[in-house]
Amino acid sequence: MGLPEERVRSGSGSRGQEEAGAGGRARSWSPPPEVSRSAHVPSLQRYRELHRRSVEEPREFWGDIAKEFYWKTPCPGPFLRYNFDVTKGKIFIEWMKGATTNICYNVLDRNVHEKKLGDKVAFYWEGNEPGETTQITYHQLLVQVCQFSNVLRKQGIQKGDRVAIYMPMIPELVVAMLACARIGALHSIVFAGFSSESLCERILDSSCSLLITTDAFYRGEKLVNLKELADEALQKCQEKGFPVRCCIVVKHLGRAELGMGDSTSQSPPIKRSCPDVQISWNQGIDLWWHELMQEAGDECEPEWCDAEDPLFILYTSGSTGKPKGVVHTVGGYMLYVATTFKYVFDFHAEDVFWCTADIGWITGHSYVTYGPLANGATSVLFEGIPTYPDVNRLWSIVDKYKVTKFYTAPTAIRLLMKFGDEPVTKHSRASLQVLGTVGEPINPEAWLWYHRVVGAQRCPIVDTFWQTETGGHMLTPLPGATPMKPGSATFPFFGVAPAILNESGEELEGEAEGYLLLRTETSWLEVFKQPWPGIMRTVYGNHERFETTYFKKFPGYYVTGDGCQRDQDGYYWITGRIDDMLNVSVREKIGPIATPDYIQNAPGLPKTRSGKIMRRVLRKIAQNDHDLGDMSTVADPSVISHLFSHRCLTIQ
Ligand code: WT7
């Protein structure tokens, strides 16, 4: 398994330990004793015991966890059935098939009625504009979700139907997704920063019968007229022969005009006026959210779903081709996000958790909505950006709500690092206990700054490696147990059995190979050998693409597509997407036909936000074809014009 020997001294606070041998990578940071003392997993040894049981006896391990949830009917057959080997037939993964439950019931009704958390704040909402705030308790959230579930049912939405959601980070987004889950409809959330083309493509791919959107919103200084984009998308759908018959619109920027007489919602006041926003209205299709909600009853029987019924679709941009509709299912996803949230952030009832990710990404699905709510947690829901109105914003929010666990992306850390220590250190941050990162490898310099400046050397950092496809964390430290190494996502979470393969599909084991890897400076493939409950089940409407993308190349393994190294202590180091690396020896392997025509230096490549390179775009640049299609998923569009202007003119 490549688990580490306990070579790092514990109990030494958070001082870094320089160990002989492997340069910077040997430096590790012990979990602070005050964190370990109250942690769910207080030592590396305990982690190892739990992890060993979770992979050797996954049915028993997850079976115990499943007992903490409500099941309408228990699992009638095997707890887990799967096939990971394409040579033996169709790939499938079934956890608790035949058991029935409802995830919305588990994260809301049970918290309100059984656990008596009705008056606990589920979300502190912090708007784009400082001072625009509201909060919503578990009871209020349940009432709104029931109302909106009734609205959806009245519009004819039934179990199995797909509902597209295109909204900024406002409480109604959480209400909308949970209402879908309550009635067994699949939500397909499209990030509100995406274009109308992206929205149209996603609506068509899964034939969504209804769209939920918002009038407009501010992102920093920028006004986004979301309704206009939604209209364009629906127009395009219509042109392609797929008319969407209903569009529900939240009045968000125009909220102040409403006065919102609704007693259950303390809707956020909007301070900033926006006289320029013109909302066009399509009679017969568009409906105002607040009008529908006023008429809706606040009780709604959940749809009892099979554990293996689909819960949602979330599109992830592949490096080639059109986006894949990643499908997650009700039961396994629920167990996995609840459990990762509890252990990885070492959740305790009094925590105030803040994940800065947008709900439009998997990070937001799992660690803004489902994971925290499944644990009865209080979270911050933030509409804005780290630099508006200035770079103090994140830290002033941390102090305002006394955030204890803070989860963000390396890009945000690097951005804020540029402004120096002072914007951070002038805030107290005394509430912070655990810091997290996700999205790409974090460079040690950024890790050390996050640790020293943001966390004042007191807070463990959980560098969580995972994917849209995995549903939740895969490689990650546990705050009270794992000695950290800056830049390493450390060890597998419970139920996760990683391996590293070479090009021939052979598993590389232990320290010797680790040395070999470093010596040849080559990265090998990160794979997982057995299913965990949160793994995706299929690509929507294209199971073959699911099998080809993740299982075909190396039968028996789920292939992440990331390169990885394992050091002599068993720590995993993700080196980035493998399809991004140019294999320099390609000419010898394939023959002279594979000799590059021209090598162009580039300041950057067209990458998605999680760093996947958009090969489709590179191909067009090589062909000097400026018709690039939808570019809304590219993180930095400026590199494209540079690549065009510096391309070699001899290539036609
Ligand atoms: C890809 C998945 C998981 C939610 C955000 C991105 C990269 C993610 C880490 C990390 C190194 C990471 C990988 C992965 N990645 N977290 N902690 N260390 N790399 O979701 O868009 O599905 O992208 O993000 O390359 O495959 P995604």
Side-chain angles (χ1 to χ4, degrees):
M1 278 314 312
L3 291 183
E5 294 305 316
E6 200 149 6
R7 13 187 323 161
V8 182
R9 270 186 291 125
S10 59
S12 57
S14 56
R15 272 177 294 113
Q17 323 251 309
E18 204 69 57
E19 294 200 350
R25 285 195 173 177
R27 186 169 188 183
S28 69
W29 303 77
S30 302
E34 61 276 17
V35 174
S36 302
R37 212 171 294 130
S38 60
H40 296 300
V41 183
S43 67
L44 194 58
Q45 190 192 341
R46 182 71 187 128
Y47 157 72
R48 284 212 205 93
E49 289 163 11
L50 287 167
H51 183 263
R52 186 172 304 121
R53 175 158 187 258
S54 73
V55 291
E56 286 173 2
E57 300 172 1
R59 292 161 182 84
E60 291 73 11
F61 182 89
W62 292 106
D64 285 347
I65 288 172
K67 287 180 196 141
E68 292 163 28
F69 294 84
Y70 177 79
W71 303 89
K72 183 77 175 171
T73 54
C75 183
F79 193 82
L80 166 65
R81 282 183 64 238
Y82 73 98
N83 174 39
F84 253 33
D85 187 342
V86 274
T87 65
K88 294 186 177 142
K90 187 181 165 189
I91 300 293
F92 72 94
I93 304 109
E94 291 172 355
W95 288 89
M96 301 163 286
K97 192 173 171 71
T100 58
T101 187
N102 183 286
I103 190 170
C104 176
Y105 182 87
N106 271 283
V107 306
L108 293 183
D109 304 57
R110 282 189 82 211
N111 280 331
V112 172
H113 299 306
E114 274 175 45
K115 298 183 185 161
K116 306 293 174 212
L117 297 178
D119 293 333
K120 185 169 179 177
V121 172
F123 291 104
Y124 291 114
W125 182 77
E126 173 81 16
N128 180 68
E129 202 64 29
E132 273 174 22
T133 57
T134 190
Q135 59 185 53
I136 182 164
T137 65
Y138 273 86
H139 170 74
Q140 290 168 330
L141 189 56
L142 174 60
V143 169
Q144 290 190 30
V145 167
C146 286
Q147 287 179 314
F148 197 65
S149 302
N150 288 327
V151 166
L152 289 175
R153 279 194 174 143
K154 206 166 168 192
Q155 293 302 319
I157 302 299
Q158 295 178 352
K159 183 175 178 213
D161 289 350
R162 280 79 54 211
V163 172
I165 301 179
Y166 187 51
M167 290 166 86
M169 289 284 279
I170 56 177
E172 286 88 347
L173 169 53
V174 178
V175 172
M177 66 199 291
L178 291 174
C180 290
R182 191 172 191 87
I183 66 170
L186 286 68
H187 54 75
S188 169
I189 302 182
V190 179
F191 174 51
F194 281 176
S195 65
S196 58
E197 285 89 10
S198 297
L199 176 59
C200 166
E201 184 180 22
R202 286 157 176 75
I203 289 174
L204 292 177
D205 184 74
S206 47
S207 46
C208 296
S209 24
L210 185 146
L211 172 65
I212 308 166
T213 190
T214 305
D215 52 356
F217 66 98
Y218 276 100
R219 195 178 150 72
E221 293 283 354
K222 192 175 160 225
L223 175 66
V224 180
N225 190 333
L226 202 65
K227 176 64 165 57
E228 194 170 274
L229 298 172
D231 285 347
E232 278 171 30
L234 293 190
Q235 179 65 33
K236 289 188 180 93
C237 290
Q238 169 108 39
E239 284 160 15
K240 296 191 174 170
F242 187 81
V244 175
R245 51 183 172 70
C246 178
C247 176
I248 299 178
V249 188
V250 174
K251 199 165 207 163
H252 173 51
L253 270 202
R255 218 184 273 272
E257 304 161 17
L258 292 176
M260 288 291 201
D262 178 352
S263 61
T264 59
S265 71
Q266 302 166 1
S267 294
I270 296 300
K271 293 229 169 114
R272 194 161 173 156
S273 65
C274 44
D276 304 338
V277 185
Q278 298 290 327
I279 300 299
S280 60
W281 203 252
N282 301 316
Q283 287 301 336
I285 293 178
D286 293 345
L287 298 166
W288 283 117
W289 169 291
H290 57 273
E291 290 180 4
L292 298 170
M293 289 290 267
Q294 260 167 18
E295 295 156 17
D298 56 13
E299 276 178 31
C300 176
E301 174 72 7
E303 188 79 39
W304 299 108
C305 300
D306 193 292
E308 279 300 332
D309 278 341
L311 171 64
F312 65 82
I313 305 168
L314 182 59
Y315 287 86
T316 176
S317 48
S319 52
T320 51
K322 61 173 192 163
K324 296 184 282 272
V326 170
V327 175
H328 284 286
T329 53
V330 172
Y333 180 81
M334 176 170 79
L335 297 194
Y336 202 65
V337 294
T339 309
T340 47
F341 179 80
K342 173 178 168 182
Y343 289 100
V344 173
F345 301 112
D346 194 42
F347 172 70
H348 294 274
E350 59 286 359
D351 275 329
V352 176
F353 179 73
W354 184 16
C355 166
T356 65
D358 194 285
I359 290 178
W361 309 109
I362 189 69
T363 310
H365 281 59
S366 300
Y367 302 112
V368 177
T369 302
Y370 290 110
L373 293 179
N375 284 274
T378 295
S379 294
V380 175
L381 181 67
F382 178 43
E383 186 192 24
I385 55 171
T387 49
Y388 180 81
D390 55 47
V391 293
N392 291 301
R393 190 71 193 271
L394 299 187
W395 321 120
S396 69
I397 295 174
V398 164
D399 279 0
K400 179 173 177 184
Y401 298 106
K402 307 249 180 314
V403 171
T404 55
K405 315 277 161 86
F406 177 74
Y407 192 32
T408 196
T411 41
I413 298 166
R414 283 195 295 267
L415 170 77
L416 293 171
M417 222 171 117
K418 289 190 192 135
F419 296 91
D421 300 2
E422 197 257 1
V424 185
T425 51
K426 76 178 187 207
H427 295 89
S428 153
R429 296 149 15 258
S431 56
L432 286 175
Q433 292 168 16
V434 175
L435 303 174
T437 75
V438 58
E440 58 179 306
I442 182 165
N443 49 313
E445 193 195 356
W447 192 102
L448 290 167
W449 185 82
Y450 198 29
H451 185 258
R452 177 177 60 81
V453 181
V454 178
Q457 317 232 25
R458 298 181 286 108
C459 304
I461 294 179
V462 288
D463 174 355
T464 61
F465 166 83
W466 57 296
Q467 306 176 298
T468 304
E469 294 88 336
T470 70
H473 306 137
M474 297 300 284
L475 302 175
T476 177
L478 301 183
T482 316
M484 301 159 287
K485 296 192 187 188
S488 168
T490 73
F491 307 127
F493 188 72
F494 305 141
V496 174
I500 300 180
L501 303 186
N502 66 13
E503 284 167 352
S504 320
E506 292 154 355
E507 273 190 37
L508 302 175
E509 280 177 27
E511 198 172 334
E513 286 80 9
Y515 170 71
L516 188 76
L517 295 178
L518 291 175
R519 196 172 54 119
T520 59
E521 289 176 5
T522 308
S523 261
W524 306 107
L525 279 177
E526 172 76 355
V527 299
F528 297 112
K529 302 201 268 193
Q530 62 189 56
W532 57 100
I535 186 176
M536 72 184 286
R537 302 303 197 263
T538 191
V539 169
Y540 189 84
N542 196 344
H543 196 69
E544 198 188 326
R545 190 165 176 206
F546 172 60
E547 295 183 336
T548 311
T549 311
Y550 307 102
F551 294 95
K552 264 232 168 97
K553 196 159 183 219
F554 299 108
Y557 300 101
Y558 167 89
V559 179
T560 62
D562 284 289
C564 184
Q565 300 178 342
R566 192 170 44 216
D567 71 14
Q568 71 275 26
D569 298 323
Y571 282 67
Y572 287 86
W573 300 77
I574 297 294
T575 52
R577 305 289 306 168
I578 210 94
D579 48 14
D580 297 352
M581 287 168 212
L582 180 68
N583 191 334
V584 285
S585 62
V586 66
R587 190 178 188 279
E588 283 96 89
K589 289 233 175 74
I590 308 178
I593 193 175
T595 309
D597 286 331
Y598 178 71
I599 294 177
Q600 176 179 347
N601 284 321
L605 291 169
K607 291 186 181 181
T608 64
R609 288 172 38 137
S610 61
K612 292 176 189 166
I613 291 178
M614 301 171 77
R615 285 154 181 276
R616 155 179 84 80
V617 177
L618 288 178
R619 208 173 299 120
K620 296 228 170 172
I621 293 169
Q623 293 161 351
N624 204 18
D625 177 355
H626 286 258
D627 182 15
L628 297 176
D630 178 19
M631 295 303 296
S632 56
T633 59
V634 68
D636 176 11
S638 70
V639 300
I640 292 164
S641 48
H642 185 282
L643 289 172
F644 267 118
S645 58
H646 291 76
R647 61 184 288 285
C648 173
L649 297 176
T650 58
I651 303 175
Q652 290 308 325

